Amino acid sequence: MLKLLKSGFFVTIQDLGRFGYRDIGVPISGVMDEVSVRNANKLLENERNASVMEITMTGPTIQFDSSTYICLSGAYLSPTLNNKPIENYQVIKVEKGDILSYGRLENGFRSYLAIKGGFKTPKVLGSHSQYSPVTKEKCLKDGDEIEYDETSSFDSLLSEIKMENHFEQDFLEVYKGPEYSLLSDRQLAQLFSKTFTVSKANNRMAYQLSELIAGHKHSMFTSGTIPGTIQLTPAGRLIILMKDGQTTGGYPRILQLSKASICTLAQKKFGDSLTFKLL
C-alpha cells in the first residue's frame, strides 16, 4: 500500500465513471481528462477502467511500501522519485520506501498517477470514483493509505509514448445544444467571435467563464444535463458542466462540448483563454 505523507491541493481516486444512476441524481464523476488516463493505463497494460489518482494543481508526497510500476500523465508538476526528476508517460519501477513528490506546475492543471493493476479502493455504485456524499470522503487527506497489488516484475510492450498536448489547445469543439435555436444572431456572433477566459469559479462540478454574452429571458423546465453541457444564464454567463456536475438544470443548454474538448477544458486553469469552434 502507499501512504500520503502530504495530500496536495485536491487529490482523488477516479476511474472512468459511475454509470446508470443519473436518474436518481448521481453524477457520472470519473477522471476529468480521459485521454491522459487512457494512455497511462495503456503503458501499464492495465484494464481500461483501472482506477488512478487525479491530482489538481499541486501534488502530494507519497511513500510506497512495496514494489510496483507507475506511470504519470496529464499536467506536468515537476515530479521526482527519491528527489530525482522523472517524466510523464514513462513506465517507472518503484521499490519499498520510495518517495514520489511533486513540485512546480509547468503546464496543464490536472495530473494523473496510474499504478500497475489500479488502486484497490472500494467500489460504490460500481465505481471507485470519489464523490461526496456517494463516497464517504470527497478527496484524499494527509495520512491516507491506499492499497495496490505488489508487482516485482513487469515487461511492458511500450516503455514510453509521446506526451499528449491536447490540453495546450486554445479552442473547444462544440455541438449545438438542445436550446441552441433560442440564441439570437447577436448571441451567436458573440459566442463564436469572443475569446473567453476561465474564471476563478472552476472545479470538477463546472467551469464558469469570465466574459458575458447578451442575456436572455427564456424560461424552461428543468431538463437533463451531461458532462460538457454549456448552459447560458439570464445574465449571459456561460457555465460548462463537468464530471461532478448536476444531472439536471434549468438554464438553456446552448452548446455541448465534444468528448475530446472535455479533456482539453479539464487542463485549463484560472485566466486561461479559449474560443469555441462549432462542429
Side-chain angles (χ1 to χ4, degrees), residues 4-6 8 19 37 50 61 106-107 114 153 195 203 242 261 274:
L4 272 76
L5 305 179
K6 292 183 180 179
F19 299 95
V37 170
T61 301
E106 296 290 341
N107 59 24
S153 179
T195 296
N203 52 40
M242 298 299 277
S261 285
L274 54 89

Side-chain angles (χ1 to χ4, degrees), residues 207-224:
Y207 270 57
Q208 292 189 27
L209 304 183
S210 296
E211 293 75 19
L212 304 180
I213 66 170
H216 66 86
K217 296 182 179 180
H218 301 295
S219 61
M220 55 178 283
F221 291 113
T222 296
S223 303

Side-chain angles (χ1 to χ4, degrees), residues 8-12 32-33 36 53-60 73-78 88-89 102-113 163-169 198-208 242 262-272:
F9 171 66
F10 192 81
V11 179
T12 61
M32 294 273 275
D33 180 0
S36 294
M53 191 177 291
E54 181 175 272
I55 300 160
T56 304
M57 192 168 66
T58 61
S73 66
Y76 188 73
L77 274 65
S78 306
N88 284 5
Y89 300 101
Y102 291 84
R104 179 180 177 182
L105 174 65
E106 296 290 341
N107 59 24
F109 193 48
R110 289 180 171 86
S111 182
Y112 294 92
L113 166 62
M163 185 173 179
E164 294 287 344
N165 63 355
H166 61 278
F167 50 82
E168 297 175 2
Q169 294 177 0
V198 175
S199 77
K200 289 183 178 179
N202 71 86
N203 52 40
R204 283 185 51 85
M205 293 185 69
Y207 270 57
Q208 292 189 27
M242 298 299 277
I262 293 175
C263 300
T264 296
L265 182 58
Q267 296 292 355
K268 300 297 183 186
K269 58 187 180 298
F270 169 61
D272 284 350

Side-chain angles (χ1 to χ4, degrees), residues 17-264:
R18 179 173 287 111
F19 299 95
Y21 300 95
R22 297 182 66 253
D23 60 321
I24 56 173
V26 178
I28 293 172
S29 297
V31 295
M32 294 273 275
D33 180 0
E34 288 189 25
V35 172
S36 294
V37 170
R38 287 174 193 254
N39 283 331
N41 275 329
K42 185 185 297 183
L43 279 167
L44 291 170
E45 298 175 26
N46 285 341
E47 293 182 358
R48 180 174 172 271
N49 197 37
S51 58
V52 300
M53 191 177 291
E54 181 175 272
I55 300 160
T56 304
M57 192 168 66
T58 61
T61 301
I62 296 169
Q63 185 171 36
F64 299 85
D65 77 348
S66 58
S67 60
T68 187
Y69 292 78
I70 62 172
C71 181
L72 313 182
S73 66
Y76 188 73
L77 274 65
S78 306
T80 61
L81 186 65
N82 301 325
N83 295 317
K84 295 181 181 180
I86 56 176
E87 297 296 327
N88 284 5
Y89 300 101
Q90 294 182 0
V91 175
I92 299 168
K93 186 174 185 179
V94 296
E95 302 286 3
K96 180 178 180 179
D98 282 356
I99 294 179
L100 173 66
S101 301
Y102 291 84
R104 179 180 177 182
L105 174 65
E106 296 290 341
N107 59 24
F109 193 48
R110 289 180 171 86
S111 182
Y112 294 92
L113 166 62
I115 196 164
K116 181 63 179 170
F119 292 106
K120 305 305 177 183
T121 56
K123 279 189 175 183
V124 182
L125 298 181
S127 173
H128 297 279
S129 295
Q130 285 186 285
Y131 172 78
S132 178
V134 175
T135 57
K136 185 177 179 180
E137 302 290 343
K138 68 176 182 179
C139 62
L140 300 177
K141 58 187 186 299
D142 292 357
D144 279 353
E145 295 182 335
I146 304 171
E147 186 178 350
Y148 62 88
D149 290 335
E150 180 176 3
T151 305
S152 57
S153 179
F154 168 58
D155 294 322
S156 58
L157 295 176
L158 297 172
S159 59
E160 63 180 288
I161 59 174
K162 183 179 179 182
M163 185 173 179
E164 294 287 344
N165 63 355
H166 61 278
F167 50 82
E168 297 175 2
Q169 294 177 0
D170 58 3
F171 64 89
L172 300 176
E173 295 180 329
V174 294
Y175 300 99
K176 295 178 181 179
E179 284 75 53
Y180 180 85
S181 61
L182 297 179
L183 295 172
S184 66
D185 290 343
R186 179 187 177 196
Q187 289 170 320
L188 288 169
Q190 291 174 331
L191 266 177
F192 297 111
S193 64
K194 269 192 173 187
T195 296
F196 296 91
T197 53
V198 175
S199 77
K200 289 183 178 179
N202 71 86
N203 52 40
R204 283 185 51 85
M205 293 185 69
Y207 270 57
Q208 292 189 27
L209 304 183
S210 296
E211 293 75 19
L212 304 180
I213 66 170
H216 66 86
K217 296 182 179 180
H218 301 295
S219 61
M220 55 178 283
F221 291 113
T222 296
S223 303
T225 58
I226 59 175
T229 296
I230 303 179
Q231 298 179 303
L232 178 64
T233 71
R237 176 79 62 193
L238 296 173
I239 301 175
I240 309 175
L241 301 182
M242 298 299 277
K243 292 299 186 74
D244 286 347
Q246 71 231 36
T247 59
T248 60
Y251 297 134
R253 302 158 297 176
I254 59 171
L255 297 170
Q256 176 67 41
L257 290 187
S258 68
K259 197 170 184 179
S261 285
I262 293 175
C263 300
T264 296

